[in-house]
Amino acid sequence: MEGGVHPGTDVSAFRECFSLTWKNPYVLRLAFSAGIGGLLFGYDTGVISGALLYIRDDFKNVDRETVLQESIVSMAVAGAIIGAAVGGWLNDRFGRRRAILIADFLFFIGAVIMASAPGAPLLIVGRVFVGLGVGMASMTSPLYISEASPAKIRGALVSTNGFLITGGQFLSYLINLAFTKAPGTWRWMLGIAGLPALLQFFLMMSLPESPRWLFRKGREEEAKAILRKIYPAHEVEQEIQDLRESIEAEIREEGSSEKINIIKLLKTKTVRRGLTAGVGLQVFQQFVGINTVMYYSPTIVQLAGFASNQTALLLSLVTAGLNALGSIVSIYFIDRTGRKKLLIISLIGVAASLGVLLWYTRGCPSKYGWLALVGLALYIIFFSPGMGTAPWIVNSEIYPLRFRGVCGGIAATANWISNLIVAQSFLSLTEAIGTSWTFLIFGVISVVALFFVIIYVPETKGLPIEEIEKMLEGRALHYKFWEKQHYDEPKGKNPAV
Ligand code: BGC
């Protein structure tokens, strides 16, 4: 078995493995270097709400025309939709590392264009560049980390990317709050993001390509040398053997053709099952309304009766801080409790917190304004460790090696399209049907998402990445979620999923 790790790892095994990783800083270096992509994702999506206030001071036409403001905000998300789609293809064709380097280039160019923009048109162009980088990084960083991680701590290492996303958002809020309205401030706020991109570019130059991608491309010797750095000596040979078997089986089944088309994807049972779980998770992640909180929390706080801008910004910093703390909880629990249980707990909590928000907004007297804040805080605390990180983790591990980039790209594209739909419609929805109906819609979607997870999402905790394909092959839909499910596994193992 790849990595020699058995499913159902216990806590002591986790500790042992984690200390192994600690002693082998190479894997941590890989995870943190790739995770800078997450930091940029969080920073660039978070910084714009604050920067826009200052941009409006400088460019009077932006202040006058809502459509310019909307374009500056949403063109990055539009860029991310394309970046994620192209990134998927780039990942399989040219490798994970090159995709990260290209994303850094886009981040850097975007930052320079924005920092020096003489007016709205170039600012928008810069946002498109940054968006392309964000979309590409959003799916590539978790994939690169996932493929370089020992199975036992794969979830924790990919969660560090989630922590850096939320950390980047927190940092951007902090900067928004700290900066005064001095002219030119927004140029620094947007331009500074070029630095981490540059840093990641150089860090990645000194790191290798994903060993799994190399192996699949027939570059066995290079792959082996990297695997030897990642795995304890006694596990390396088994790991190599498993990778070889999996790739040979794939070539036997499909020929060595590198061409991927959508029919071929959908005809493959394991891919279909993976895509159902992966795309579904990404769409639900957005449709439970997270980015209405991340992008509009100052507005929501003001709806709760806290009027001053300063207070609203400060309270939204607390929200972003709770979000970052929640991703640390994910690092700790994701490989012990498992992806699926964390998702289920997360969704139950999200639905209940939306209930609190709903109750508050249904005409409660404003002396209960604090209840809205409690609802908001609970929402984030429950969202972050499960629905915040697990969709990215599951998507980095659930697809067969040959389709991993393309399928992860499809799911990430679905995430960004959903993000755009929700972010664009939130304010109009609250105006048209009121806040309580809007939260009710998110609440109902969370309950549907809960059933979706119970039925369609398999547990991948502790499973070596190549075993996941076999598990999907033998897995039946899981309606009786209260019973443990078993799958027919070719090697005679029978883990619960
Ligand atoms: C989501 C982002 C969201 C963030 C909140 C991420 O996992 O993909 O859309 O803004 O979590 O921290």
Side-chain angles (χ1 to χ4, degrees):
M1 186 197 323
E2 184 194 346
V5 181
H6 293 271
T9 42
D10 63 17
V11 174
S12 58
F14 174 87
R15 283 217 187 93
E16 175 205 309
C17 194
F18 203 80
S19 77
L20 257 176
T21 323
W22 201 250
K23 279 182 212 145
N24 174 4
Y26 188 67
V27 176
L28 281 183
R29 200 177 114 204
L30 272 167
F32 275 95
S33 305
I36 295 177
L39 185 84
L40 285 160
F41 165 178
Y43 185 84
D44 277 315
T45 52
V47 74
I48 197 64
S49 58
L52 197 59
L53 299 176
Y54 311 118
I55 294 170
R56 284 167 59 178
D57 283 346
D58 274 8
F59 300 138
K60 291 301 162 213
N61 58 338
V62 176
D63 195 37
R64 272 194 315 271
E65 293 172 47
T66 326
V67 60
L68 283 180
Q69 293 170 32
E70 283 171 347
S71 308
I72 292 173
V73 175
S74 55
M75 272 306 157
V77 182
I81 294 174
I82 298 170
V86 176
W89 173 78
L90 276 179
N91 261 277
D92 282 342
R93 187 102 176 76
F94 299 107
R96 296 31 171 154
R97 180 172 163 270
R98 278 199 207 134
I100 294 181
L101 292 174
I102 295 172
D104 285 331
F105 180 72
L106 294 166
F107 277 126
F108 187 77
I109 298 285
V112 172
I113 295 179
M114 288 188 302
S116 55
L122 266 187
L123 245 178
I124 294 171
V125 172
R127 288 285 289 164
V128 173
F129 269 90
V130 160
L132 290 169
V134 169
M136 222 172 258
S138 69
M139 51 90 36
T140 311
S141 296
L143 178 56
Y144 179 79
I145 299 173
S146 179
E147 288 192 335
S149 304
K152 275 186 202 169
I153 52 164
R154 188 176 61 235
L157 288 172
V158 181
S159 288
T160 55
N161 184 63
F163 170 64
L164 287 166
I165 298 177
T166 54
Q169 283 170 330
F170 179 77
L171 196 71
S172 71
Y173 282 29
L174 200 67
I175 289 182
N176 282 348
L177 193 68
F179 272 96
T180 57
K181 285 198 171 193
T185 309
W186 60 267
R187 294 188 188 276
W188 285 102
M189 292 163 90
L190 299 177
I192 200 97
L195 289 181
L198 210 59
L199 174 70
Q200 186 180 44
F201 189 90
F202 288 110
L203 286 173
M204 292 306 298
M205 292 289 272
S206 65
L207 285 171
E209 181 48 84
S210 152
R212 289 182 166 75
W213 184 84
L214 286 173
F215 212 99
R216 159 115 184 100
K217 293 281 166 184
R219 290 158 66 177
E220 270 193 38
E221 289 313 311
E222 284 169 76
K224 282 185 199 164
I226 299 159
L227 287 170
R228 288 199 182 97
K229 286 191 176 174
I230 297 173
Y231 284 85
H234 62 282
E235 287 178 5
V236 171
E237 290 315 314
Q238 187 61 50
E239 176 67 38
I240 293 169
Q241 186 55 29
D242 285 333
L243 257 175
R244 181 171 297 125
E245 274 173 23
S246 126
I247 288 166
E248 278 168 4
E250 170 202 321
I251 291 174
R252 262 199 313 279
E253 277 165 31
E254 321 214 355
S256 55
S257 158
E258 290 268 323
K259 289 237 159 56
I260 292 173
N261 64 47
I262 208 81
I263 311 275
K264 188 165 148 192
L265 275 185
L266 296 177
K267 268 190 177 165
T268 315
K269 184 161 90 181
T270 48
V271 176
R272 234 177 18 244
R273 290 182 169 175
L275 273 175
T276 308
V279 172
L281 276 176
Q282 293 287 31
V283 170
F284 280 121
Q285 182 197 59
Q286 295 300 318
F287 273 93
V288 301
I290 177 60
N291 285 317
T292 63
V293 177
M294 295 316 293
Y295 302 165
Y296 299 107
S297 62
T299 317
I300 298 179
V301 167
Q302 283 181 336
L303 282 175
F306 296 85
S308 101
N309 276 355
Q310 198 77 357
T311 319
L313 279 176
L314 203 67
L315 286 171
S316 53
L317 191 67
V318 174
T319 326
L322 288 174
N323 194 21
L325 285 179
S327 5
I328 299 180
V329 174
S330 166
I331 296 180
Y332 189 77
F333 282 106
I334 197 88
D335 290 312
R336 320 174 163 208
T337 311
R339 286 72 165 141
K340 188 164 178 165
K341 270 195 204 137
L342 272 192
L343 282 165
I344 291 175
I345 297 168
S346 174
L347 282 166
I348 292 174
V350 161
S353 324
L354 284 166
V356 174
L357 277 169
L358 177 69
W359 183 80
Y360 160 73
T361 49
R362 299 220 72 157
C364 246
S366 60
K367 68 172 179 179
Y368 290 115
W370 57 271
L371 247 179
L373 295 185
V374 172
L376 213 60
L378 283 176
Y379 175 91
I380 286 288
I381 290 170
F382 279 107
F383 175 87
S384 178
M387 280 306 275
T389 50
W392 294 111
I393 297 174
V394 171
N395 272 287
S396 74
E397 59 191 12
I398 202 167
Y399 307 110
L401 178 56
R402 60 200 174 280
F403 301 129
R404 222 169 266 158
V406 165
C407 292
I410 292 175
T413 308
N415 178 300
W416 288 105
I417 294 176
S418 313
N419 183 329
L420 190 62
I421 296 173
V422 176
Q424 285 296 94
S425 56
F426 176 66
L427 289 182
S428 341
L429 257 181
T430 51
E431 272 164 30
I433 59 173
T435 347
S436 43
W437 281 105
T438 310
F439 287 137
L440 181 68
I441 294 177
F442 290 144
V444 171
I445 294 177
S446 317
V447 175
V448 177
L450 179 63
F451 285 102
F452 172 84
V453 168
I454 289 168
I455 296 168
Y456 291 102
V457 178
E459 181 55 80
T460 41
K461 145 183 123 166
L463 272 178
I465 216 165
E466 261 72 44
E467 296 272 315
I468 293 175
E469 185 174 358
K470 293 180 198 155
M471 180 268 283
L472 282 176
E473 181 77 39
R475 181 178 194 264
L477 286 187
H478 193 186
Y479 292 107
K480 295 186 179 174
F481 62 89
W482 55 93
E483 287 175 5
K484 273 194 173 175
Q485 194 195 15
H486 297 276
Y487 68 89
D488 299 325
E489 209 270 340
K491 286 183 186 169
K493 283 180 245 104
N494 206 21
V497 290

